[in-house]
């Protein structure tokens, strides 16, 4: 039975297998680095969301006090909430009060970040 299935000697050589393993390893490393970038991006987004929530909470509290109860202020001293610090300022122009709220923090790389929101309150 010459030339039958049992005598077929085709297959992969050791070099072909090693090249395939190297290509697979590079692909896995690329995916792993993308995963690390995604984790950092999610962590950064969580901090921005927390800072925005803190700014909105202060804004709503200030707006709910009423127009006449709000006095003009320069930036208040920083109020610390966990890793965040929060400040606000109120300025009056005619029958409008502008309320500015700023939340600041330092990211894990040591870079200072901040979120600013502004709103107007009419008499």
């Amino acid at each position: 039975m010459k030339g039958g299935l049992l005598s077929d000697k085709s297959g992969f050589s050791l070099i072909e297998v090693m090249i395939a393993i190297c290509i697979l390893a590079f692909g896995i490393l690329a995916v792993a680095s993308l995963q690390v970038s995604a984790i950092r991006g999610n962590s950064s987004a969580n901090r921005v969301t927390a800072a925005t929530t803190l700014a909105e909470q202060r804004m709503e509290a200030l707006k709910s006090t009423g127009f006449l109860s709000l006095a003009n202020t320069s930036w208040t001293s920083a109020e610390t909430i966990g890793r965040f610090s929060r400040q606000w300022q109120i300025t009056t122009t005619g029958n409008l009060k502008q309320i500015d709220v700023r939340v600041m923090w330092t990211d894990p790389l040591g870079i200072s970040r901040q979120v600013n929101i502004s709103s107007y309150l009419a008499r």
Side-chain angles (χ1 to χ4, degrees), residues 34-50:
L34 287 175
Q35 187 67 22
V36 169
S37 296
I39 289 170
R40 285 186 184 146
N42 286 340
S43 179
S44 176
N46 284 337
R47 284 188 291 279
V48 170
T49 300

mmCIF file of all heavy atoms in Angstrom, residues 34-50:
data_model
loop_
_atom_site.group_PDB
_atom_site.id
_atom_site.type_symbol
_atom_site.label_atom_id
_atom_site.label_comp_id
_atom_site.label_asym_id
_atom_site.label_seq_id
_atom_site.Cartn_x
_atom_site.Cartn_y
_atom_site.Cartn_z
ATOM 1 N N LEU A 34 -3.389 46.661 25.265
ATOM 2 C CA LEU A 34 -4.674 47.342 25.073
ATOM 3 C C LEU A 34 -5.542 47.230 26.317
ATOM 4 O O LEU A 34 -6.262 48.160 26.672
ATOM 5 C CB LEU A 34 -5.404 46.764 23.861
ATOM 6 C CG LEU A 34 -4.841 47.136 22.495
ATOM 7 C CD1 LEU A 34 -5.596 46.394 21.396
ATOM 8 C CD2 LEU A 34 -4.927 48.625 22.274
ATOM 9 N N GLN A 35 -5.477 46.091 26.982
ATOM 10 C CA GLN A 35 -6.262 45.887 28.201
ATOM 11 C C GLN A 35 -5.801 46.854 29.295
ATOM 12 O O GLN A 35 -6.618 47.431 30.002
ATOM 13 C CB GLN A 35 -6.121 44.437 28.676
ATOM 14 C CG GLN A 35 -7.006 44.080 29.827
ATOM 15 C CD GLN A 35 -8.476 44.084 29.450
ATOM 16 O OE1 GLN A 35 -8.853 43.961 28.303
ATOM 17 N NE2 GLN A 35 -9.318 44.256 30.448
ATOM 18 N N VAL A 36 -4.494 47.035 29.421
ATOM 19 C CA VAL A 36 -3.963 47.974 30.415
ATOM 20 C C VAL A 36 -4.441 49.394 30.096
ATOM 21 O O VAL A 36 -4.847 50.140 30.998
ATOM 22 C CB VAL A 36 -2.419 47.895 30.462
ATOM 23 C CG1 VAL A 36 -1.831 49.024 31.279
ATOM 24 C CG2 VAL A 36 -1.984 46.549 31.010
ATOM 25 N N SER A 37 -4.416 49.779 28.838
ATOM 26 C CA SER A 37 -4.898 51.117 28.446
ATOM 27 C C SER A 37 -6.383 51.273 28.758
ATOM 28 O O SER A 37 -6.813 52.339 29.210
ATOM 29 C CB SER A 37 -4.663 51.345 26.957
ATOM 30 O OG SER A 37 -3.299 51.351 26.667
ATOM 31 N N ALA A 38 -7.160 50.243 28.533
ATOM 32 C CA ALA A 38 -8.599 50.302 28.825
ATOM 33 C C ALA A 38 -8.840 50.448 30.325
ATOM 34 O O ALA A 38 -9.720 51.218 30.750
ATOM 35 C CB ALA A 38 -9.290 49.051 28.296
ATOM 36 N N ILE A 39 -8.073 49.759 31.137
ATOM 37 C CA ILE A 39 -8.230 49.866 32.597
ATOM 38 C C ILE A 39 -7.892 51.283 33.056
ATOM 39 O O ILE A 39 -8.616 51.868 33.875
ATOM 40 C CB ILE A 39 -7.349 48.817 33.303
ATOM 41 C CG1 ILE A 39 -7.925 47.423 33.069
ATOM 42 C CG2 ILE A 39 -7.232 49.103 34.793
ATOM 43 C CD1 ILE A 39 -7.023 46.292 33.508
ATOM 44 N N ARG A 40 -6.808 51.862 32.523
ATOM 45 C CA ARG A 40 -6.449 53.243 32.889
ATOM 46 C C ARG A 40 -7.528 54.226 32.448
ATOM 47 O O ARG A 40 -7.869 55.170 33.167
ATOM 48 C CB ARG A 40 -5.124 53.619 32.252
ATOM 49 C CG ARG A 40 -3.940 53.003 32.929
ATOM 50 C CD ARG A 40 -2.640 53.525 32.345
ATOM 51 N NE ARG A 40 -1.524 52.832 32.959
ATOM 52 C CZ ARG A 40 -0.408 52.530 32.340
ATOM 53 N NH1 ARG A 40 -0.246 52.854 31.074
ATOM 54 N NH2 ARG A 40 0.557 51.905 32.963
ATOM 55 N N GLY A 41 -8.061 54.035 31.251
ATOM 56 C CA GLY A 41 -9.122 54.916 30.760
ATOM 57 C C GLY A 41 -10.372 54.835 31.617
ATOM 58 O O GLY A 41 -10.987 55.867 31.927
ATOM 59 N N ASN A 42 -10.748 53.636 32.024
ATOM 60 C CA ASN A 42 -11.922 53.471 32.890
ATOM 61 C C ASN A 42 -11.707 54.119 34.244
ATOM 62 O O ASN A 42 -12.608 54.747 34.798
ATOM 63 C CB ASN A 42 -12.257 51.991 33.060
ATOM 64 C CG ASN A 42 -12.886 51.400 31.833
ATOM 65 O OD1 ASN A 42 -13.420 52.111 30.991
ATOM 66 N ND2 ASN A 42 -12.823 50.086 31.718
ATOM 67 N N SER A 43 -10.515 53.979 34.787
ATOM 68 C CA SER A 43 -10.204 54.590 36.078
ATOM 69 C C SER A 43 -10.276 56.112 35.988
ATOM 70 O O SER A 43 -10.836 56.776 36.865
ATOM 71 C CB SER A 43 -8.815 54.138 36.522
ATOM 72 O OG SER A 43 -8.471 54.726 37.746
ATOM 73 N N SER A 44 -9.734 56.674 34.920
ATOM 74 C CA SER A 44 -9.797 58.120 34.715
ATOM 75 C C SER A 44 -11.242 58.592 34.559
ATOM 76 O O SER A 44 -11.635 59.615 35.129
ATOM 77 C CB SER A 44 -8.980 58.497 33.483
ATOM 78 O OG SER A 44 -9.106 59.872 33.212
ATOM 79 N N ALA A 45 -12.031 57.854 33.811
ATOM 80 C CA ALA A 45 -13.444 58.213 33.615
ATOM 81 C C ALA A 45 -14.209 58.160 34.936
ATOM 82 O O ALA A 45 -15.068 59.014 35.189
ATOM 83 C CB ALA A 45 -14.084 57.285 32.597
ATOM 84 N N ASN A 46 -13.885 57.200 35.790
ATOM 85 C CA ASN A 46 -14.543 57.120 37.099
ATOM 86 C C ASN A 46 -14.233 58.343 37.949
ATOM 87 O O ASN A 46 -15.104 58.877 38.636
ATOM 88 C CB ASN A 46 -14.118 55.848 37.839
ATOM 89 C CG ASN A 46 -14.786 54.614 37.290
ATOM 90 O OD1 ASN A 46 -15.834 54.695 36.669
ATOM 91 N ND2 ASN A 46 -14.178 53.465 37.513
ATOM 92 N N ARG A 47 -12.981 58.810 37.918
ATOM 93 C CA ARG A 47 -12.623 60.001 38.687
ATOM 94 C C ARG A 47 -13.325 61.244 38.147
ATOM 95 O O ARG A 47 -13.801 62.078 38.915
ATOM 96 C CB ARG A 47 -11.105 60.187 38.685
ATOM 97 C CG ARG A 47 -10.388 59.226 39.621
ATOM 98 C CD ARG A 47 -8.905 59.571 39.749
ATOM 99 N NE ARG A 47 -8.162 59.319 38.526
ATOM 100 C CZ ARG A 47 -7.711 58.126 38.154
ATOM 101 N NH1 ARG A 47 -7.912 57.075 38.903
ATOM 102 N NH2 ARG A 47 -7.037 57.995 37.031
ATOM 103 N N VAL A 48 -13.412 61.393 36.826
ATOM 104 C CA VAL A 48 -14.104 62.547 36.241
ATOM 105 C C VAL A 48 -15.592 62.508 36.601
ATOM 106 O O VAL A 48 -16.187 63.538 36.936
ATOM 107 C CB VAL A 48 -13.898 62.590 34.712
ATOM 108 C CG1 VAL A 48 -14.793 63.636 34.067
ATOM 109 C CG2 VAL A 48 -12.448 62.870 34.383
ATOM 110 N N THR A 49 -16.187 61.331 36.575
ATOM 111 C CA THR A 49 -17.600 61.200 36.939
ATOM 112 C C THR A 49 -17.824 61.569 38.397
ATOM 113 O O THR A 49 -18.779 62.284 38.727
ATOM 114 C CB THR A 49 -18.088 59.760 36.679
ATOM 115 O OG1 THR A 49 -17.931 59.468 35.285
ATOM 116 C CG2 THR A 49 -19.533 59.587 37.072
ATOM 117 N N ALA A 50 -16.942 61.106 39.292
ATOM 118 C CA ALA A 50 -17.075 61.441 40.716
ATOM 119 C C ALA A 50 -16.918 62.942 40.932
ATOM 120 O O ALA A 50 -17.684 63.555 41.692
ATOM 121 C CB ALA A 50 -16.045 60.669 41.530
#
